[in-house]
Amino acid sequence: MNNISKYITLTIVLLCLAGRITAQELRPEVFSMLNLDYPGLEKVKALHQAGNDAEAATALLEYYRGRTAVKHPEVDLSKVTISKQDQQWADDGLEHTFFVHKGYQPSYNYGKDINWQYWPVQDNELRWQLHRHKWFSPMGKAYRVSGDEKYAKEWVHQYMDWIIKNPLAEMNKSEYELISSGEVKGDAENVRFAWRPLEVSNRLQDQTNQFLYFVDSPHFTPEFLTEFLVNYHKHALHILANYSAQGNHLLFEAQRIIYAGAFFPEYKEATAWRKSGIDILNRQINVQVYDDGGQFELDPHYHLAAINIFCKALYMADANGFRGEFPQSYLDRIEKMILFYANICFPDYTNPCFSDAKLGDKPAELKNYKDWTTLFPQNEQIRYFATEGKEGKQPQNLSNAFKASGFFTFRNSWQNDATVMVVKAGPKGEWHCQPDNGTFEFWFNGKNLFPDSGAYVYAGDDEVMKLRNWFRQTMVHNTLTLDDRTLETTESVTKYWNGTGDVQALVTENPGYTGLTHRRTVFFVDQTYFVLVDEAYGDATGEVNLHYQLAEGKVNLDPKSMTVVTDYAGNSNVKLQCFGEKPLKMKEEEGWRSTAYRQRVERTALSFNTAKDAKHAARFITVIYPYADRADMPALSAKFNGKQFAASAVDVEVKVNGKKRVLKIDF
Ligand code: MG
């Protein structure tokens, strides 16, 4: 029998037993995992050496109940509170209705005899995230707040039930990889979900909280303690042997192995765990973060998650006295990441939903900034955002370019009535990045007028992937395509940037398709309106499409004048008019905006289209003019100066209410 068949057999045997075995057993191997010379474990060591493991386990539990030297940065048992939502998740958890994913509400019930393989919708996230046990820590809080033993009893039961029904067989790395790749089905397939390193690391982290919440309960028996510590040890070893190759998963895993090493210094390898995590973070902060502070997935929310991972490691270090293990350069880079984030966000603290980004919300972002001020107390800008401008100083810059990451912000103020356009035009990007080069979001006077389509879902079966792929298409972004096809290449080059004065401009170029390069010039004129010059050149032939996606609500399209006028309530509206060098055709397109995971709203989307031959560039000028008052909606016109595409110059003429303006740059 190979290891996988052994594993399947073992699983079947264990599943048969699962109905009967729920009690915990003393696991004597725990004593070989711990450094019994660790200060405070003298009694445990003596009892174990005398062959009395039962009493040694009791002494070990006493030690943990009285332990004060190790601090947890997120748990203060003297002031535990619980939110309404956590209370709900805790109570639902008692009934085996498990909160797994915000995108799947109401939560599913996993049965009286818990079926950890229940998978009602074939979205990988739903199956993976079940194994993060998101209701466990809420149960811990509910226990601490109420003192009701039902939470502790049920947590211990579910913790053991999970161990029994989700075994990790001994297997070599290639067997594990085979399972991870999804090629193995049936019972063994479960390992792919239950033991994915990201989920394992999540449990490693959250079980430190749960340990503190429940350790004083009579249901937390000496036998259970040994089960817990053996299981926890297995988790740590699994991470060390199976770190993700790269990306945010690796960062999460590294930060959480630091938690494991710091929170359980009694394990023999605890110092090595901590060092492994710190080494990875120190290395990866230079690999995954560009010099301008942008994270390489080019996704504002994963960027934020990366900041918080790097910071969490520091909070744990500060709580337990090992800050010195991080160099100053590590802190400097986090600080840059925070300022990068502040610069690409809108005045309501939301971020553009480029790539797979979530929108974020103000209370959560304010809390982030507040936490960051503790790490960077001298940074006046971070303090400014932490206090909504009541303290600190707003950034001296308005517009800002992050050229390595390819994020460019045009901004005329830091206040709510600001005009802000954030353009994404960078390198290829990693997993969460979408092929959307040249796209933008545009905020005016309190409203996002051109929000990104967002992500909707991540990954799953064909049906789920179809949904995901719709939102990833280049054509559902505010950018240019050839025959509506998704970009083949995403490698934007910045040709020009000027972020100050009355005519600010960006010129960015992406060789998107074989035979077709898209050069987009963005002019921010008088810090009031935008002129986009889109030029598609190369020997490709076909139809060139310039797409725009509006905020949901009423939008009027006029295909004769190639004009789009929004009719939103309130005082943030926009007129967009497109002027082609050759005749244009306006097409209304399918438009959606994902507001959260598996939530979307319909919205107006359209494109301006023109035929392209092998010899000539297809060229468009779009004027985007926002206004607070309808009476200020201007008459617009625009044309190219010069008959041909020029490799190193852009020259157009725009008229606003008849007033002529020449916008010309050489680069
Ligand atoms: Mg997008």
Side-chain angles (χ1 to χ4, degrees):
M1 261 195 322
N2 66 23
N3 282 352
I4 292 178
S5 343
K6 267 189 253 165
Y7 159 77
I8 294 169
T9 314
L10 179 68
T11 308
I12 293 165
V13 170
L14 287 171
L15 286 176
C16 296
L17 292 172
R20 289 188 279 122
I21 298 176
T22 51
Q24 317 105 42
E25 286 173 45
L26 191 139
R27 304 288 299 266
E29 62 267 44
V30 74
F31 299 108
S32 61
M33 294 171 182
L34 300 176
N35 167 18
L36 297 181
D37 292 320
Y38 194 83
L41 295 184
E42 298 79 6
K43 199 172 156 192
V44 178
K45 183 181 180 183
L47 286 163
H48 170 65
Q49 284 183 343
N52 192 346
D53 282 351
E55 282 191 35
T58 304
L60 187 60
L61 182 57
E62 273 167 25
Y63 161 81
Y64 276 115
R65 283 179 176 164
R67 191 182 73 162
T68 54
V70 175
K71 305 280 185 231
H72 197 299
E74 290 137 50
V75 180
D76 178 352
L77 290 178
S78 70
K79 41 183 175 189
V80 178
T81 56
I82 188 163
S83 67
K84 239 179 150 173
Q85 187 169 66
D86 275 358
Q87 184 67 54
Q88 183 69 44
W89 293 346
D91 290 333
D92 286 351
L94 294 177
E95 306 300 323
H96 303 179
T97 296
F98 297 147
F99 172 72
V100 173
H101 198 291
K102 274 192 175 148
Y104 296 95
Q105 292 302 305
S107 296
Y108 296 102
N109 188 280
Y110 286 75
K112 196 168 181 334
D113 178 14
I114 300 168
N115 178 2
W116 296 99
Q117 296 189 29
Y118 181 48
W119 195 9
V121 178
Q122 313 280 295
D123 177 341
N124 289 337
E125 295 298 334
L126 187 62
R127 185 87 185 261
W128 274 318
Q129 295 193 29
L130 170 66
H131 299 284
R132 294 186 193 173
H133 302 152
K134 291 179 196 174
W135 62 98
F136 274 5
S137 293
M139 281 168 102
K141 289 182 194 170
Y143 172 61
R144 280 281 162 179
V145 167
S146 68
D148 193 330
E149 286 296 332
K150 69 181 177 186
Y151 296 108
K153 186 181 174 195
E154 183 61 22
W155 176 72
V156 167
H157 167 72
Q158 291 183 15
Y159 192 94
M160 290 308 303
D161 191 69
W162 186 89
I163 291 178
I164 291 163
K165 293 178 185 165
N166 296 279
L168 175 67
E170 293 297 326
M171 59 182 77
N172 64 39
K173 202 168 166 68
S174 61
E175 285 168 336
Y176 177 71
E177 277 166 2
L178 197 65
I179 287 172
S180 307
S181 70
E183 287 172 49
V184 175
K185 299 293 177 197
D187 279 340
E189 185 194 33
N190 188 53
V191 169
R192 170 162 100 85
F193 296 99
W195 288 89
R196 185 171 71 146
L198 184 64
E199 274 61 44
V200 175
S201 74
N202 205 118
R203 296 195 296 271
L204 265 186
Q205 170 182 275
D206 290 358
Q207 287 182 15
T208 58
N209 310 342
Q210 293 150 27
F211 186 87
L212 286 172
Y213 290 137
F214 290 118
V215 72
D216 293 328
S217 164
H219 290 95
F220 202 113
T221 61
E223 293 76 22
F224 177 75
L225 173 65
T226 65
E227 295 272 18
F228 180 96
L229 291 173
V230 169
N231 180 53
Y232 196 86
H233 188 259
K234 185 187 276 189
H235 276 57
L237 295 193
H238 187 66
I239 291 292
L240 288 173
N242 298 286
Y243 275 123
S244 297
Q246 57 181 11
N248 64 76
H249 287 207
L250 178 58
L251 299 187
F252 276 118
E253 290 152 16
Q255 171 251 314
R256 291 158 174 177
I257 200 82
I258 295 172
Y259 265 47
F263 189 77
F264 288 112
E266 302 86 2
Y267 284 113
K268 280 179 182 162
E269 311 96 320
T271 309
W273 296 351
R274 197 170 95 186
K275 185 171 182 312
S276 165
I278 291 174
D279 286 350
I280 288 171
L281 291 188
N282 276 329
R283 239 185 351 260
Q284 289 294 319
I285 201 167
N286 292 312
V287 173
Q288 298 202 18
V289 184
Y290 291 111
D291 285 338
D292 61 14
Q295 200 259 357
F296 75 169
E297 294 190 72
L298 306 180
D299 173 320
H301 225 78
Y302 278 90
H303 175 93
L304 179 64
I307 295 173
N308 283 334
I309 292 167
F310 292 130
C311 289
K312 262 188 149 179
L314 289 174
Y315 302 140
M316 186 51 108
D318 285 349
N320 293 287
F322 59 94
R323 163 72 78 93
E325 292 173 32
F326 292 92
Q328 182 59 38
S329 59
Y330 180 87
L331 275 110
D332 293 344
R333 193 149 282 220
I334 297 173
E335 198 171 4
K336 258 191 183 172
M337 293 179 79
I338 295 170
L339 295 177
F340 174 99
Y341 187 68
N343 271 275
I344 64 160
C345 279
F346 299 112
D348 67 347
Y349 290 74
T350 58
N351 52 241
C353 284
F354 298 142
S355 302
D356 282 342
K358 300 184 192 92
L359 193 57
D361 67 88
K362 193 169 175 178
E365 306 315 331
L366 279 172
K367 183 178 179 307
N368 281 327
Y369 280 107
K370 282 196 182 101
D371 290 345
W372 298 335
T373 54
T374 64
L375 291 175
F376 304 100
Q378 305 90 350
N379 190 307
E380 296 288 342
Q381 297 177 44
I382 296 174
R383 188 172 303 283
Y384 176 84
F385 294 110
T387 59
E388 297 184 72
K390 290 184 198 78
E391 292 171 33
K393 292 193 187 98
Q394 74 178 29
Q396 288 188 332
N397 67 280
L398 291 167
S399 298
N400 210 341
F402 299 92
K403 290 181 185 166
S405 310
F407 279 73
F408 303 86
T409 303
F410 294 98
R411 181 189 297 274
N412 69 358
S413 147
W414 289 96
Q415 311 310 315
N416 192 54
D417 62 358
T419 302
V420 186
M421 179 185 278
V422 186
V423 182
K424 177 173 178 276
K428 184 171 173 293
E430 297 298 327
W431 200 80
H432 284 287
C433 186
Q434 292 185 350
D436 57 3
N437 291 43
T439 196
F440 64 86
E441 283 201 6
F442 179 24
W443 169 282
F444 171 72
N445 202 26
K447 185 178 171 75
N448 194 333
L449 292 165
F450 293 84
D452 199 88
S453 296
Y456 195 61
V457 288
Y458 289 172
D461 65 8
D462 290 350
E463 203 178 315
V464 170
M465 288 311 285
K466 206 175 140 199
L467 293 169
R468 171 172 176 77
N469 288 337
W470 189 91
F471 286 84
R472 278 181 68 81
Q473 299 175 92
T474 307
M475 69 176 289
V476 305
H477 292 86
N478 296 310
T479 191
L480 179 144
T481 60
L482 176 62
D483 294 326
D484 289 335
R485 286 191 285 124
T486 282
L487 291 169
E488 293 160 9
T489 303
T490 50
E491 272 303 343
S492 292
V493 177
T494 307
K495 309 288 266 190
Y496 179 88
W497 163 259
N498 166 35
T500 57
D502 290 344
V503 182
Q504 301 183 16
L506 163 71
V507 182
T508 176
E509 196 170 275
N510 183 47
Y513 307 89
T514 307
L516 191 94
T517 294
H518 172 209
R519 185 172 77 188
R520 167 163 273 188
T521 303
V522 181
F523 289 106
F524 186 26
V525 186
D526 295 338
Q527 299 193 34
T528 304
Y529 66 98
F530 288 88
V531 177
L532 270 51
V533 182
D534 289 290
E535 296 166 286
Y537 69 93
D539 58 13
T541 59
E543 192 182 47
V544 174
N545 337 96
L546 182 59
H547 306 270
Y548 290 104
Q549 329 285 317
L550 283 296
E552 58 271 24
K554 192 168 177 219
V555 178
N556 298 310
L557 306 183
D558 179 3
K560 279 198 189 118
S561 63
M562 300 295 150
T563 304
V564 178
V565 177
T566 64
D567 191 11
Y568 304 136
N571 48 11
S572 179
N573 275 291
V574 65
K575 176 177 180 177
L576 177 154
Q577 194 165 2
C578 192
F579 305 89
E581 196 172 32
K582 293 197 186 125
L584 298 180
K585 210 169 80 193
M586 182 193 269
K587 261 196 279 186
E588 192 161 3
E589 300 184 328
E590 187 180 0
W592 294 98
R593 178 170 83 90
S594 172
T595 51
Y597 203 82
R598 289 185 76 94
Q599 286 174 36
R600 60 185 180 181
V601 289
E602 210 161 358
R603 45 91 163 260
T604 299
L606 67 138
S607 61
F608 301 103
N609 304 273
T610 192
K612 184 187 173 307
D613 61 34
K615 285 204 181 111
H616 301 90
R619 305 206 288 169
F620 310 77
I621 303 169
T622 312
V623 184
I624 302 179
Y625 200 104
Y627 46 87
D629 187 336
R630 278 171 179 72
D632 294 332
M633 184 170 73
L636 301 170
S637 69
K639 68 178 178 80
F640 283 94
N641 287 327
K643 289 206 162 54
Q644 290 196 354
F645 169 79
S648 56
V650 177
D651 185 1
V652 300
E653 181 186 302
V654 174
K655 280 184 188 163
V656 176
N657 290 329
K659 197 176 158 212
K660 190 168 108 179
R661 190 78 182 245
V662 173
L663 302 171
K664 182 173 189 297
I665 42 174
D666 296 290
F667 44 89

